[in-house]
Amino acid sequence: MDKQEKKHLVVLTGAGVSAESGIRTFRDDNGLWEGHDVMEVATPQGWQKNQELVLDFYNQRRKACKDAQPNPAHLKLAEMEKMFDLTIITQNVDDLHERAGSSRVIHLHGELFKAQSSLDPSLVYPVEGFEINPGDTCEKGSQLRPFVVWFGEPVPMMEAAISAVKGADAFAVIGTSLMVYPAAGLLDEAASEIPKFIIDPKMPSYYPAKHLIPIEEKAGKGVLLMEEHLKKWFFPD
């Protein structure tokens, strides 16, 4: 099938996708992320209070991510590029979608393996190895911080994500509680006439909508079931 003829499938992924690779989430643990209050490690206030703690926390997340491998959901989504013009919008900061082979990934909440200047957010650098240490500075002499969108900060890639969803022929939400805004509002941007999927073993609250199909499964199995629905929708016998 020629690329220009492919239908545009847009997929929003959340922590439930990475969880199947052994990367822990914080939504099921009373707001604790690896034993830390998220307000201590994922807010500008936490950064101002204790930069060493925040740097060490993300160094450990980076190390854990290096040891993790893409799971069947990541791999199947990458494979679906053969059939669809596929855009992944992810709330995850890991690089597992890219490592699985997905070629178009919009990271809403930043990227774990990048650092940014704490003075000038436009200065972004790759992280060599897995550590950002105190004293590591940008070209302007400012301490480097994780390239992560913390709670209370704007989401720079939101406009690109909305544009992708508005242009989608099909839309899926996988492994996210639909509680974190503005990402949770992306479902509202999808056209009413297109097929929409919510895939999660703990189905989040949602309102009924036309052509909305809930699949109460983990990401790996849910993506396979979604693919079958999409084949029947776009490629009927």
Side-chain angles (χ1 to χ4, degrees), residues 31-68:
L32 294 179
W33 189 0
E34 296 287 352
H36 292 278
D37 185 330
V38 294
M39 301 306 289
E40 294 181 349
V41 295
T43 64
Q45 294 79 11
W47 171 251
Q48 293 301 322
K49 179 181 177 182
N50 193 336
Q51 292 187 6
E52 287 193 17
L53 172 67
V54 175
L55 290 174
D56 181 67
F57 177 81
Y58 286 95
N59 288 344
Q60 296 307 315
R61 305 288 71 71
R62 229 171 269 115
K63 187 175 186 296
C65 185
K66 275 183 172 289
D67 293 337

Side-chain angles (χ1 to χ4, degrees), residues 104-207:
R104 189 190 303 157
V105 183
I106 298 172
H107 282 271
L108 284 182
H109 295 160
E111 298 179 61
L112 196 55
F113 289 95
K114 292 182 180 179
Q116 74 181 70
S117 166
S118 55
L119 176 68
D120 182 351
S122 70
L123 297 177
V124 179
Y125 310 87
V127 175
E128 303 297 336
F130 67 89
E131 291 185 324
I132 305 173
N133 294 307
D136 291 345
T137 59
C138 72
E139 61 208 63
K140 295 183 177 180
S142 175
Q143 173 65 46
L144 292 177
R145 54 160 276 184
F147 182 59
V148 173
V149 177
W150 289 325
F151 290 103
E153 293 186 322
V155 183
M157 296 304 294
M158 197 64 203
E159 188 174 330
I162 291 172
S163 178
V165 175
K166 285 183 177 292
D169 296 303
F171 180 57
V173 176
I174 307 176
T176 175
S177 63
L178 292 177
M179 294 292 287
V180 178
Y181 283 84
L186 286 172
L187 188 60
D188 297 327
E189 303 293 343
S192 62
E193 68 271 13
I194 69 171
K196 294 172 282 289
F197 302 86
I198 297 179
I199 301 172
D200 201 294
K202 297 180 181 178
M203 190 58 56
S205 299
Y206 65 91
Y207 55 88

Side-chain angles (χ1 to χ4, degrees), residues 19-94:
E20 291 188 48
S21 292
I23 295 178
R24 292 182 59 187
T25 72
F26 61 82
R27 67 178 182 177
D28 293 326
D29 295 323
N30 300 317
L32 294 179
W33 189 0
E34 296 287 352
H36 292 278
D37 185 330
V38 294
M39 301 306 289
E40 294 181 349
V41 295
T43 64
Q45 294 79 11
W47 171 251
Q48 293 301 322
K49 179 181 177 182
N50 193 336
Q51 292 187 6
E52 287 193 17
L53 172 67
V54 175
L55 290 174
D56 181 67
F57 177 81
Y58 286 95
N59 288 344
Q60 296 307 315
R61 305 288 71 71
R62 229 171 269 115
K63 187 175 186 296
C65 185
K66 275 183 172 289
D67 293 337
Q69 297 298 322
N71 64 54
H74 296 113
L75 296 170
K76 186 61 182 178
L77 287 169
E79 181 187 318
M80 288 176 72
E81 289 192 10
K82 297 175 183 177
M83 186 180 301
F84 295 96
D85 180 17
L86 179 60
T87 299
I88 290 176
I89 303 166
T90 187
Q91 295 171 280
N92 302 329
V93 295
D94 61 62

